[in-house]
């Protein structure tokens, strides 16, 4: 039972850490560190959700979950079970494996849906998009709405619309293109994937959905940081303001768009030259490492 308590404590710690991250302002100043912390919370939550029912079912062995699972497999192969371990215990172990199967299935489904949407849109781009010497390395869609997005994958595509070309000046457009290339270079689609899967697997947890929204915003802020390293704050902030004022923004499924998330907050952040909080960031990473280490150690023991 003590090992089940450890998993329960881990789940509670994940919830409390998520609440602290959601309410903290330092995350905007260090989005890359905050993204790592959110990923650790998601991984620890998934492992703990699997481990809790398993540990309850394996309580008669009075061993860490990993060694207890090996002992159960050995006993089942010999057709014997220890005293006190009945159908209810085996059912709880099955629930744990079921949660793992759901998490794996939803992840695979999320990957499949994303890849399918990206492939379909990539095929469409070969038909309707064009090259333009004013935007090297990007494709242009002849559409009046504002659009600037990255279609991630093995061969990523950066796409802007004709409406965006008429909306932005040269410096703003360069900053936007760098922003979108940052999404592709750092594979932000893969960063968001586990949280999409968790939302599907645990839809009744509102804070899981909130975590997805927070990470999506941090991903945009991280790309903003990459853009202002080359183009300063003013051109990118100007582009964000123009996107905010333009109501008919479009971003297709499976893509990461420039003007999708909290544009006013991102502009405000760009105008404040705060340094990343190194001490707080180091402490947050230490907490994140501990969160992940606890359930993993119980499974490997």
């Amino acid at each position: 039972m003590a090992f089940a308590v450890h998993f329960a404590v881990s789940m509670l710690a994940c919830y409390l850490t998520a609440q602290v991250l959601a309410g903290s302002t330092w995350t905007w100043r260090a989005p890359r560190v905050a993204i790592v912390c959110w990923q650790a919370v998601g991984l620890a939550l998934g492992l703990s959700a699997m481990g809790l029912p398993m540990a309850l079912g394996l309580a008669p062995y009075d061993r860490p979950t990993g060694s207890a699972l090996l002992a159960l497999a050995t006993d089942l192969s010999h057709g014997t079970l220890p005293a006190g371990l009945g159908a209810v215990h085996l059912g709880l172990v099955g629930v744990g494996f079921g949660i793992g199967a759901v998490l794996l299935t939803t992840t695979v489904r999320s990957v499949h849906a994303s890849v399918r949407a990206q492939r379909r849109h990539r095929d469409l781009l070969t038909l309707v998009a064009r090259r333009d010497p004013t935007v090297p390395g990007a494709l242009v869609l002849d559409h009046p709405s504002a659009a600037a997005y990255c279609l991630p994958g093995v061969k990523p595509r950066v796409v802007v619309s004709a409406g965006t070309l008429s909306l932005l000046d040269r410096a703003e457009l360069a900053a936007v293109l760098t922003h979108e290339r940052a999404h592709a270079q750092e594979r932000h689609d893969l960063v968001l994937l586990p949280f999409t899967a968790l939302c599907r697997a645990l839809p009744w947890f509102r804070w899981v959905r909130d975590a997805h929204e927070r990470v999506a915003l941090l991903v945009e802020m991280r790309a903003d940081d990459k853009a202002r390293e080359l183009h300063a704050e003013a051109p990118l902030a100007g582009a964000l303001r123009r996107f905010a004022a333009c109501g008919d923004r479009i971003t297709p499924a499976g893509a990461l768009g420039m003007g999708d998330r909290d544009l006013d907050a991102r502009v405000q952040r760009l105008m404040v030259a705060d340094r990343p909080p190194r001490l707080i960031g180091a402490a947050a990473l230490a907490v994140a490492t501990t969160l992940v280490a606890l359930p993993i150690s119980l499974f490997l023991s």
Side-chain angles (χ1 to χ4, degrees), residues 247-272:
D248 55 343
R249 301 185 300 271
I250 57 172
T251 301
L256 297 169
M258 171 72 181
D260 289 345
R261 305 274 174 183
D262 295 321
L263 296 176
D264 292 337
R266 288 162 60 190
V267 170
Q268 179 183 358
R269 171 181 175 270
L270 287 171
M271 294 295 98
V272 179

Side-chain angles (χ1 to χ4, degrees), residues 118 152-154 156 182-192 256:
Q118 291 166 9
V154 178
H183 282 318
Q185 292 165 359
E186 299 194 356
R187 293 308 306 265
H188 288 160
D189 57 312
L190 299 182
V191 171
L192 288 170
L256 297 169

Side-chain angles (χ1 to χ4, degrees), residues 217-241:
L217 176 58
L218 290 170
V219 159
E220 292 301 324
M221 290 180 172
R222 172 59 184 163
D224 289 343
D225 285 348
K226 295 292 289 184
R228 71 173 171 180
E229 287 176 4
L230 295 178
H231 305 283
E233 291 84 359
L236 182 59
L240 290 173
R241 289 193 186 99

Side-chain angles (χ1 to χ4, degrees), residues 48-264:
S48 299
M50 290 172 53
L52 179 57
M54 286 185 181
L56 289 172
L58 296 169
Y61 283 103
D62 194 25
R63 300 183 190 178
T65 306
S67 58
L69 280 172
L70 291 176
L72 175 61
T74 301
D75 289 342
L76 288 175
S77 66
H78 291 101
T80 60
L81 292 175
L85 194 148
V88 174
H89 295 87
L90 293 177
L92 287 170
V93 174
V95 169
F97 278 111
I99 292 173
V102 168
L103 292 173
L104 178 60
T105 301
T106 52
T107 301
V108 172
R109 287 177 59 190
S110 298
V111 172
H112 180 261
S114 180
V115 170
R116 184 174 57 184
Q118 291 166 9
R119 184 186 299 118
R120 184 165 54 245
H121 192 69
R122 192 173 287 110
D123 292 341
L124 181 63
L125 288 174
T126 61
L127 298 175
V128 301
R130 60 179 172 85
R131 297 286 181 178
D132 191 312
T134 63
V135 281
L139 296 173
V140 177
L141 284 176
D142 289 318
H143 196 286
S145 298
Y149 58 87
C150 166
L151 192 66
V154 178
K155 296 181 179 180
R157 298 286 188 272
V158 173
V159 182
V160 296
S161 67
T164 297
L165 296 182
S166 61
L167 181 69
L168 306 179
D169 63 31
R170 186 182 298 273
E172 292 168 346
L173 180 61
V176 166
L177 293 176
T178 302
H179 172 102
E180 297 306 331
R181 293 187 183 109
H183 282 318
Q185 292 165 359
E186 299 194 356
R187 293 308 306 265
H188 288 160
D189 57 312
L190 299 182
V191 171
L192 288 170
L193 183 61
F195 297 93
T196 303
L198 274 175
C199 286
R200 291 183 176 181
L202 304 172
W204 53 87
F205 285 129
R206 181 173 180 177
W207 66 274
V208 173
R209 299 193 301 272
D210 292 342
H212 182 276
E213 294 296 320
R214 296 281 179 175
V215 175
L217 176 58
L218 290 170
V219 159
E220 292 301 324
M221 290 180 172
R222 172 59 184 163
D224 289 343
D225 285 348
K226 295 292 289 184
R228 71 173 171 180
E229 287 176 4
L230 295 178
H231 305 283
E233 291 84 359
L236 182 59
L240 290 173
R241 289 193 186 99
R242 293 181 189 271
F243 271 98
C246 184
D248 55 343
R249 301 185 300 271
I250 57 172
T251 301
L256 297 169
M258 171 72 181
D260 289 345
R261 305 274 174 183
D262 295 321
L263 296 176
D264 292 337

Side-chain angles (χ1 to χ4, degrees), residues 2-58:
F3 303 107
V5 172
H6 290 163
F7 280 116
V9 169
S10 179
M11 292 186 70
L12 178 61
C14 288
Y15 171 77
L16 294 176
T17 302
Q19 297 305 306
V20 171
L21 285 173
S24 297
T25 57
W26 68 265
T27 56
W28 287 14
R29 295 156 57 198
R32 181 164 54 177
V33 173
I35 288 170
V36 172
C37 292
W38 275 113
Q39 289 177 315
V41 169
L43 177 59
L45 175 64
L47 292 174
S48 299
M50 290 172 53
L52 179 57
M54 286 185 181
L56 289 172
L58 296 169

